[in-house]
Amino acid sequence: MKKIAVTIVLLGLLIGSSRAQGPQPDKADFPDDFLWGVASAAYQVEGAYQADGKGESKWDFFANTIGVTQFTIGEKQTANVAINQYDREQYLKDIQLMKELGVNTYRFSIPWSRIIPHGVGEVNPKAIAHYHLLIQDLKAAGIEPLVTLYHFDLPLALLQQGGWLNRESVQWYKNYAKVIFENFGNEVSHFITFNEPYIEFFVANFLINPSQSKESANVRYASEMNNVHHQLLASAEAIRLYHEMNLNGKIGITFNLSPCLPFDPNNPEDVEAVSLQDELLNRIVLDPVFKGKYPEKALAAIQQYNPGFQPSKQDLQLMLDNQPDILGINFYAPAQVKKDDNAPLGVSWMGNNTDAVKMANGPVRPEELYNLLMRVKNEYGDPEIIITENGASFHNDEDTLVEEKVADALRKDYIQRHIAAALQAKKEGVKLKGYFVWSGWDNFEWVFGYTERFGLIYVDYDTQQRYPKSSYYWYQHFLNNRAMK
Ligand code: GCO
């Protein structure tokens, strides 16, 4: 009798531990042409912020003047050096680490202010040469480039002319995109027009320059809509241009998307707030791009404080006629939504994370990635999708270098469970074409500076030494079809 009891207990422990680890995804369940990668963004990794004739970007200005001190513990942190990836000697080492990891694609961004230092006008030949060489070096290592044209870093000269609030920004961007396509259109098979319009305007602009009052916050929030609208228009113009140039790759746009859940499911106000927050966070970009219209409640809430925002039928038709070939989705966590009279438009989701060990971007719920992918498939015309970012920075001490090792068990578990969730959605028909971990390396996390570490590879910012973490080795085993114990 005792023997059976012991067996049952051991069996329970075994089942429990496998559930704790989550399902073991198998790379063999994905097609050979699936894009496996890591992602970065120029401002966060390149450094060399004034090298080779580069113009000043909006982020160079923010970080070096306004500063992001309220989030970097009083210290002014910039990406003037970052992780030095503009330097070829350094980036060749990082390409070697990607090659050993086993990825077949690297998602990076090209800074507009390197290519066209003043935003419009003269093209910088040194910058063109630099990215030709980077792409050549990547391909020599068997790694394909996936290029983001714009990742928050508008040339400062254009910000000084009104930036994205100025309708001319659509033409400025189209001109920049033409330069990119003319120079790199035959070497790069996947382009992303913009990264996360929502974050750039409805989040970062507020974190950099918090509003002084609730009324001003509502007006400022609503005014950001013009920026987002012009970026969606510019994206549609670039997609149209890309196809007019008969380039034979794929072009799309990347949105941060988060399923909205009530912070307190027993609070009817939180439950009620979910649909407005979902419109303001997800549908505000998905609906115009895939349905040619803005979601009604969000539009009404914005127009209450920004009555001048009246998107024309022509604008919306342009978006509908030039839909992305592929949708980039950046998923980190669901949004836990509160009715919040102190938040712009009366709803909030940032910082409502109820997990015991906080992940920087929200609660760890891989099942919500599955739900999101199924929703996009069923409600937005079953588009091709690439998960252009998925990763984690945990607020505990797992990103600590001990004897040149980093045992980031939570990050490894996070990635494993999210790949498994993505695989389940793919098995149920989602046209998932790629998955990119954010990020290959620890890097400059915008207003949070270097206080968040998202990398598979630890970076010692003083020495620029790289140390692959345990999550790197898990991803390497997974990518090389070696079952992980
Ligand atoms: C963004 C980005 C990245 C972030 C990443 C981690 O969402 O801001 O695309 O630049 O670094 O998402 O927060």
Side-chain angles (χ1 to χ4, degrees):
M1 190 59 171
K2 189 166 178 293
K3 198 164 175 249
I4 294 173
V6 167
T7 309
I8 289 169
V9 167
L10 284 176
L11 196 60
L13 286 174
L14 194 65
I15 291 167
S17 67
S18 67
R19 192 175 297 138
Q21 272 183 7
Q24 289 285 349
D26 187 333
K27 188 190 171 206
D29 291 325
F30 292 85
D32 291 346
D33 63 353
F34 194 84
L35 305 181
W36 291 106
V38 294
S40 73
Y43 186 71
Q44 297 179 266
V45 299
E46 286 192 342
Y49 81 117
Q50 294 175 320
D52 287 348
K54 174 180 170 293
E56 195 172 3
S57 76
K58 147 178 147 178
W59 269 91
D60 292 322
F61 175 73
F62 283 157
N64 283 285
T65 49
I66 296 174
V68 288
T69 52
Q70 69 268 39
F71 292 99
T72 49
I73 322 168
E75 178 194 345
K76 186 179 287 185
Q77 296 183 347
T78 74
N80 295 352
V81 174
I83 63 170
N84 196 34
Q85 251 194 20
Y86 185 78
D87 175 82
R88 183 164 186 251
E89 189 182 338
Q90 178 61 66
Y91 85 54
L92 284 174
K93 293 175 188 169
D94 287 332
I95 288 178
Q96 183 57 26
L97 282 168
M98 284 194 277
K99 185 177 179 181
E100 289 165 9
L101 176 59
V103 295
N104 57 30
T105 312
Y106 175 39
R107 176 190 177 217
F108 62 95
S109 75
I110 292 180
W112 187 344
S113 56
R114 284 199 198 279
I115 302 293
I116 310 176
H118 300 291
V120 291
E122 199 179 323
V123 173
N124 177 0
K126 287 184 179 176
I128 297 293
H130 174 87
Y131 293 103
H132 274 311
L133 189 52
L134 171 59
I135 290 165
Q136 182 185 306
D137 288 334
L138 282 165
K139 291 189 173 200
I143 298 169
E144 281 299 308
L146 184 149
V147 171
T148 306
L149 274 71
Y150 180 89
H151 198 125
F152 301 163
D153 47 4
L154 184 73
L156 184 63
L158 299 181
L159 184 64
Q160 290 163 341
Q161 296 175 57
W164 293 104
L165 282 174
N166 185 338
R167 176 113 185 172
E168 273 188 68
S169 55
V170 176
Q171 193 50 46
W172 300 334
Y173 178 88
K174 187 178 174 182
N175 173 60
Y176 162 58
K178 188 166 184 287
V179 170
I180 294 291
F181 298 154
E182 284 169 344
N183 284 281
F184 308 106
N186 292 316
E187 301 168 75
V188 174
S189 57
H190 288 82
F191 283 103
I192 294 287
T193 55
F194 287 90
N195 179 78
E196 301 185 351
Y198 174 93
I199 292 289
E200 179 171 5
F201 297 108
F202 290 125
V203 175
N205 270 9
F206 273 71
L207 291 175
I208 291 161
N209 179 15
S211 275
Q212 304 317 316
S213 72
K214 191 172 123 182
E215 179 61 17
S216 68
N218 283 329
V219 172
R220 269 198 53 210
Y221 187 97
S223 69
E224 298 293 351
M225 190 63 230
N226 298 70
N227 291 301
V228 173
H229 182 71
H230 289 154
Q231 282 199 349
L232 296 180
L233 273 183
S235 178
E237 286 285 13
I239 291 169
R240 177 164 65 174
L241 174 66
Y242 183 81
H243 292 304
E244 282 170 353
M245 292 173 70
N246 293 315
L247 292 165
N248 54 12
K250 292 185 177 178
I251 184 166
I253 188 169
T254 278
F255 296 141
N256 58 290
L257 299 175
S258 298
C260 290
L261 311 173
F263 178 76
D264 175 359
N266 300 314
N267 178 343
E269 285 193 327
D270 289 357
V271 174
E272 168 67 24
V274 163
S275 65
L276 176 58
Q277 185 64 77
D278 177 50
E279 289 198 20
L280 289 168
L281 171 54
N282 300 307
R283 293 184 55 193
I284 198 75
V285 287
L286 287 170
D287 285 25
V289 167
F290 289 101
K291 298 180 177 178
K293 61 182 180 178
Y294 281 101
E296 281 177 28
K297 283 199 286 241
L299 186 58
I302 283 164
Q303 288 173 330
Q304 185 183 348
Y305 297 98
N306 179 5
F309 181 66
Q310 301 292 338
S312 70
K313 284 191 173 54
Q314 294 81 344
D315 283 0
L316 291 164
Q317 192 60 47
L318 179 81
M319 294 181 204
L320 200 56
D321 294 344
N322 296 282
Q323 294 186 32
D325 304 329
I326 203 145
L327 172 64
I329 293 180
N330 290 354
F331 175 83
Y332 291 90
Q336 293 182 306
V337 175
K338 275 182 180 172
K339 175 85 177 76
D340 183 348
D341 290 337
N342 294 317
L345 307 189
V347 290
S348 76
W349 63 279
M350 305 276 299
N352 296 340
N353 186 346
T354 52
D355 279 0
V357 178
K358 299 281 180 285
M359 196 284 281
N361 291 15
V364 178
R365 303 284 188 281
E367 68 278 7
E368 292 303 334
L369 173 57
Y370 165 82
N371 291 337
L372 171 65
L373 292 171
M374 297 310 292
R375 178 192 186 186
V376 171
K377 169 184 170 55
N378 297 326
E379 295 182 21
Y380 290 96
D382 195 14
E384 288 194 2
I385 294 171
I386 292 179
I387 296 172
T388 35
E389 289 179 27
N390 178 244
S393 168
F394 286 97
H395 292 172
N396 64 358
D397 60 359
E398 74 166 21
D399 280 308
T400 306
L401 190 64
V402 178
E403 293 172 7
E404 302 198 342
K405 288 186 171 52
V406 177
D408 58 336
L410 289 179
R411 179 175 293 106
K412 172 255 171 190
D413 177 66
Y414 176 99
I415 293 169
Q416 174 183 315
R417 292 166 68 198
H418 283 79
I419 291 177
L423 175 58
Q424 187 55 40
K426 182 166 176 43
K427 284 178 175 175
E428 295 183 24
V430 169
K431 293 176 187 161
L432 185 65
K433 302 294 181 184
Y435 173 89
F436 292 74
V437 175
W438 181 276
S439 175
W441 307 263
D442 295 336
N443 60 54
F444 181 80
E445 180 53 24
W446 306 111
V447 295
F448 300 98
Y450 299 102
T451 61
E452 297 287 358
R453 288 181 178 270
F454 277 88
L456 294 171
I457 298 167
Y458 182 96
V459 177
D460 178 329
Y461 296 118
D462 296 328
T463 65
Q464 290 292 345
Q465 281 299 310
R466 274 68 165 149
Y467 302 92
K469 304 177 187 176
S470 57
S471 56
Y472 170 100
Y473 293 113
W474 179 84
Y475 195 35
Q476 182 184 56
H477 278 269
F478 169 79
L479 290 174
N480 295 283
N481 267 330
R482 291 198 292 270
M484 191 66 186
K485 294 178 195 59

